[in-house]
Amino acid sequence: MLADNMTAVEESIFPAGAQPVPNAIVSAVDVGVFYRENQQALSGVNLDFHAGRVGALIGPSGCGKSTFLRCLNRMNSEIPHCRITGRIEYHGKDIASPQQNLFDLRRSIGMVFQQPNPFRMSIYNNIALALHRHGMRSKNELDAAVEESLRAAALWDEVKGKLHGSAYALSGGQQQRLCIARTLALHPDVVLMDEPCSALDPIATRAIEDTIRAMAQRGICIVIVTHNMQQAARVSDTTAFFYLGEMVEAGPTQRIFDAPSDARLQDYISGRFG
Amino acid sequence: MIPKRSIERVGKLATGACAAVATVLVITLIFMVAQHGLATFTVDGISPSGFFFGTTWNPHQTDDAGSPLMGALPMIAGSFAVTLLSCLFVLPFAIGSAVFVVEIAPGFGRKVLQPVVELLVGIPSVVFGLIGLTVIVPWVRGWAGGTGYGVFSASLVLAVMVLPTVTSLAIDAIASVPDSYREGSYGLGCVRWQTIWNVVLRSAAPGLMTAVILGMTRAFGEALAVQMVIGNAAAMPMSLFTPATTLTSVLTMGMGNEAMGTVYNDALWSLALVLLLMSLAFILIVHLIARKGARSNG
Amino acid sequence: MADTVAAHIKKARTQDRIATGILIATAGVICALLAAIIIYILVSGASKVFDPAFLTGKPQQFQAGGGIGPELFNSFYLLLLTLIISTPLSLGAAVFLVEYAPDNVATRTVKTAIEVLSSLPSIVVGLFGFLFFVLTLGWGFSIISGALALTMFNIPILVRVIQQALEAVPSDQRDAGLALGLTRWETTVHILIPAAIPAVVTGIILSAGRVFGEAAALIYTAGQSAPVLDFSNFNLASMSCPWNIWRPAETLAVHIWKINSEGVVPDLTAVSNGTAAVLLLCVLAFNLLARFLGRRLSKKLAAE
């Protein structure tokens, strides 16, 4: 599951000088997040993410993993009084700069949420809505795009006969795959996933993990927040451990789980706290 | 394709404009009513103490000093009298049915009583006024003597009119008492009524007070229904069963009669200003209760 | 000791039973009250309600046999105009408050203004309409003055309803839309509002019922006179053209009040009761329509 040039990746992830690595798609440099009244949720996070790799963010509840994830597509800007410090670069450009179009950014960096949240519409319209709003008007193009994204999310065979039925008639796992398809339809090169399987049963979880691996193989950079260490071990190439608002340790997944350096990470992995 | 930034900007502007229109209308209203209402004192030279504490309202007559008899106390007293009395009538019924809906029979309450209350809200005020005129006034005349018009009849009509408002707010207040309070009381061995009386009602008190104040707001501001049954005699409400007057009924009848700009007309606007200020005062009281309630309930 | 405890428990239980009885009686009284009101109005007005001459005839000043034809039309026309003006305004203001409103003084002013508007007595709104639309703008007693006064009356009701409907849509729907690169406007228009439609429609129809029965705001804006209407007249400047918004227009509710305060029409009681019955039937119809449509739309939304 791990790539051959793992050493190069490992060395490039946490450069001591906090300079973003050129071949990383997304780089976070000294990122901090402050909520209303200067309540600090996150501080000093340095992480890189690469194309075709799955990066997992693990750690106990409330330690900032999801907060960090939401910085990457600027979803935290929607929260009033939320302040983000540091710099996040996407393809080398600062995502907070006025030159970066917020809406284009979110097309290229997609997000899948913890609870499946399909729109109250047909399966077809769930995928077609964003495409339509982004300018795709021809019915043929839309049909093709819907099929392509449903195939990419491994959902096509199950729903091809009921594309115009309600999305709410699907099971939880199918709804989550629909949400993935909806995001993939916009051809993002980064997909952020915030505990996508925590509301699903093991079989649906397995299907989503297969989809994640397929997306990575197609070159998409995936950042996944997960509570489930086994899932992180199964699915990810690199893992970062968050604790109380700090990114404590990060590296190749195998090394993190086999030979963690930080004591807190050791305790977390051995289950001393959750 | 229109760039997204423009879409967002246009959306923000368009909706902001709608909000601005509503705000500007309210500000204009307050400004214009205040301007005409204050003219009585600033332009026409009527003394405020004579206005607020004088008991004779006869603008076309002048007193010995030559200024018109514009004592607004009968109207102010009348408005307060019908408001307070109607809320006194309403209180047991509103709280009783609210307790019934939340504590005793939620199913029946939701399916029957709440639609009933909603329907009562929808009945136009003139219809209540008409029923007051054709049913209540003759009935009151029957056992209390006199004409049947007066504060009592008006309060009865107003009570039925504000009942739905107070009841639905009371239901909200009682329903928002956390179940853990009730469970704690039952856990100590109390029966249902003790729980309701000692725990639920006490904890819902701020919400219930808000419900009553909002009912009073509606009662204070009701015009037509009151005007039809109060008798419209500009005298202090000495008895519950003699014709009296309120701010709203004087305005309803008088505004069309006097030419704009005359001192008589300006006096009516002063009454309107009093009405406006009372409504604002009621809102303020509700806010204060809410803030105090939030502090004590944590 | 055990005796006093037992006696206390017995007393508590008796209290509980009495209290429960009183509460049931209270609820019963309210239901009976509503039934009595509706039955009384409908029965006393029954003779006129089904009389076409009453429903289409002209009102009489001094003679018996007056009808409510123009008033009936005026009520509906005013309602239509009010909804056309107030719905987009309220929708915009509600969307602004839910989606865009920054946490600053301007927003608090808007919220306070709408709250003030909702507690204002409708007579004060009517008097402002008189002062501003009828006199200052010089429109005189007219449909447009009445419609704008009713709009001011209706805005706080609609804004609250639409705001609640939008806030009831789960926030993850909004998050999903934003994460796909949609603007807040697009998310609101294409995702939130469609999901909130049943509640919004119900709210609009219920507000229509309130507007239909409103009189205090109209006495000094739309006026108390009902010019004879000629439905074949399409000259919008003419006083007898029904669609002319510059003409005075007495509505059903105002009519009830007017003939009772003047007290000169001989068959006053019959006309009042008949008008009240028609008014009540229309309001009840709005109420039923709101419920029915709301349920149908909810089901359609869930099933589609």
Side-chain angles (χ1 to χ4, degrees), chain B residues 4 7-8 15 18 29 96-97 118-120 122 124 134 193 221 224 227 252 255-256 260 269 276 279 283 287, chain C residues 16 19 23 30-31 34 40 89 92 100 115 119-121 127-128 135 183-186 213 215 220 257 283-284 291:
Chain B
K4 296 249 178 265
I7 297 180
E8 192 72 313
T15 55
C18 294
L29 184 151
S97 42
E118 271 175 33
L119 270 173
L120 274 173
T134 53
W193 174 246
L224 298 192
Q227 188 265 330
T252 309
M255 195 53 84
M260 285 298 296
W269 285 107
L276 179 62
S279 311
I283 304 179
H287 270 258
Chain C
D16 185 54
L23 291 174
I30 295 181
C31 295
L34 176 76
Y40 173 79
L89 264 177
Y100 291 112
E115 198 182 343
S119 338
L120 283 183
L127 289 175
F128 167 70
L135 296 181
T183 60
R184 279 196 164 261
W185 174 257
E186 291 171 317
Y220 293 112
W257 177 78
V283 167
L284 289 176
R291 248 173 242 286

Side-chain angles (χ1 to χ4, degrees), chain C residues 237-276:
Chain C
S238 151
M239 201 52 86
S240 67
C241 170
W243 314 103
N244 175 12
I245 60 173
W246 307 103
R247 65 173 179 87
E250 185 189 44
T251 60
L252 291 173
V254 174
H255 189 61
I256 298 178
W257 177 78
K258 189 188 91 164
I259 58 177
N260 275 290
S261 58
E262 284 178 357
V264 281
V265 177
D267 59 347
L268 176 61
T269 322
V271 172
S272 294
N273 290 337
T275 316

